[in-house]
Amino acid sequence: MSVILVTGSYDHEIRFWEAWSGICSRTISRSGEAGQVNRLAISPDKRLLAAAIHKKVYIYETASSSSTPLTSLDAHTMNVTAVSFHSEGKWLVTGSEDGTIRIWDLRSAQVHRTYDNGAPVNDVCVHPNQGELISCDQAGCIKQWDLSENLCSHELTPAGDVPIRSVSLASDGSCLVAGNNKGKCYVWKINEEKSDLPRYQAVTKFSAHKKYITRVLLSPDVKYLATCSADTTVKIWSISENYEFRQEKVLQGHQRWVWDCAFSADSAYLVTASSDHTARLWEMASGETVRQYNGHHKGKLHA
């Protein structure tokens, strides 16, 4: 099976890797162009790569060898911090430090809708029902935006004005996890809108790291949570049926902040990316690094 692994960095390069061999198979070199790579996302059909680079988003073909993007999306006025594909791959959602969330029609490369969040956006994800977005921001808010109506339908502020750095939704829509700048994780069970229960029911909170959390990510099988941190580690937490989170492993090896991570589709492997200029492939069962990807030479990486 061919596994696409893509990393981007402050060295302005985007690299494609053969996950198992560790060989860099393609480099999109952007020499002479300003702007670091902030976030990357691959479309559900694996055909497109969206790269958030400074204020713009560039769309590349994953199977091409060209360094020229298919198109670029240009409307944000500050760094784009979040990028996420809608399930059909025809729409893209972006969040930015400019305080807006934008939905783009990839067929026309035009903005379809803009939500004014009112504070710098740190992360955005699409609900599995494809009808809602969940965002988090620098003001400490988590918001649900309904795609059918141009509004914010729910708002959570779990820790006052402490910035929420990252949000992750379970693939089955069952729960939401958020991580903040003080290393704390917050978990909500998501109930049906039609039920008498609150849409977001707080079930637990716990201290995951003593420093910044940079990314929280639920595994595709919703059995594990990965938390990345400024403390150079990634922690793996098992999730019980009643939402008890237990620390299973501490993945140690990166020398600097760990900024990003991505699970394999079968939840058996995790890729992490760090300011130490490397990405690592970890085997979940053993907690060991099975491959390291070297080649970037500046700043933080995203995977």
Side-chain angles (χ1 to χ4, degrees):
M1 185 182 74
S2 159
V3 177
I4 300 174
L5 169 60
V6 188
T7 57
S9 160
Y10 276 16
D11 64 11
H12 301 185
E13 288 184 344
I14 297 167
R15 290 174 178 253
F16 288 70
W17 307 84
E18 293 173 6
W20 305 119
S21 69
I23 294 168
C24 179
S25 57
R26 175 186 173 196
T27 300
I28 296 174
S29 184
R30 302 176 46 261
S31 55
E33 289 187 60
Q36 71 274 11
V37 180
N38 290 326
R39 289 296 288 275
L40 297 169
I42 294 174
S43 62
D45 64 6
K46 308 285 191 288
R47 198 175 64 82
L48 301 175
L49 170 72
I53 300 170
H54 193 30
K55 296 186 286 190
K56 296 182 183 180
V57 177
Y58 295 85
I59 307 296
Y60 297 94
E61 282 184 297
T62 57
S64 167
S65 59
S66 170
S67 287
T68 306
L70 284 177
T71 188
S72 64
L73 312 178
D74 185 7
H76 285 295
T77 58
M78 295 175 73
N79 264 325
V80 177
T81 53
V83 56
S84 187
F85 279 94
H86 197 262
S87 67
E88 292 174 2
K90 295 172 185 167
W91 305 87
L92 189 76
V93 180
T94 57
S96 168
E97 290 174 355
D98 66 14
T100 66
I101 297 162
R102 296 179 188 268
I103 300 171
W104 304 80
D105 184 339
L106 291 176
R107 292 158 291 190
S108 64
Q110 298 298 310
V111 175
H112 175 69
R113 182 173 289 165
T114 301
Y115 297 105
D116 183 6
N117 182 66
V121 178
N122 288 330
D123 204 4
V124 180
C125 49
V126 182
H127 191 286
N129 67 16
Q130 305 300 310
E132 298 151 0
L133 306 176
I134 310 291
S135 68
C136 66
D137 65 35
Q138 207 53 19
C141 295
I142 298 164
K143 294 174 184 171
Q144 175 181 300
W145 306 87
D146 284 12
L147 295 179
S148 55
E149 303 169 49
N150 207 352
L151 55 84
C152 167
S153 53
H154 295 276
E155 186 170 333
L156 305 165
T157 51
D161 59 2
V162 178
I164 303 288
R165 182 58 46 193
S166 178
V167 284
S168 183
L169 274 162
S171 57
D172 59 3
S174 60
C175 70
L176 168 70
V177 178
N180 75 7
N181 274 11
K182 291 193 172 176
K184 291 218 165 35
C185 282
Y186 299 85
V187 185
W188 293 265
K189 182 172 180 280
I190 302 178
N191 297 303
E192 292 293 329
E193 291 279 17
K194 302 180 188 69
S195 76
D196 296 331
L197 296 165
R199 173 67 168 162
Y200 294 95
Q201 181 182 348
V203 287
T204 191
K205 60 184 178 182
F206 58 96
S207 183
H209 298 267
K210 289 189 172 68
K211 294 185 176 180
Y212 271 91
I213 286 177
T214 52
R215 183 78 65 239
V216 294
L217 187 64
L218 289 159
S219 61
D221 63 8
V222 201
K223 290 181 178 174
Y224 296 98
L225 171 72
T227 58
C228 303
S229 172
D231 67 12
T232 76
T233 71
V234 179
K235 293 185 180 180
I236 305 298
W237 309 80
S238 61
I239 309 168
S240 70
E241 286 182 12
N242 56 350
Y243 299 104
E244 288 175 359
F245 285 71
R246 192 177 82 198
Q247 184 179 305
E248 291 289 329
K249 293 182 176 69
V250 180
L251 308 185
Q252 292 177 303
H254 282 300
Q255 303 302 305
R256 295 186 183 175
W257 288 37
V258 184
W259 285 96
D260 206 359
C261 66
F263 278 100
S264 60
D266 62 3
S267 303
Y269 294 89
L270 183 75
V271 174
T272 58
S274 166
S275 313
D276 65 11
H277 311 168
T278 71
R280 286 171 177 256
L281 179 69
W282 307 82
E283 184 181 53
M284 289 288 288
S286 66
E288 297 296 322
T289 298
V290 291
R291 194 70 69 236
Q292 185 165 309
Y293 309 93
N294 304 308
H296 288 289
H297 51 83
K298 187 181 177 188
K300 67 182 188 186
L301 261 69
H302 289 281

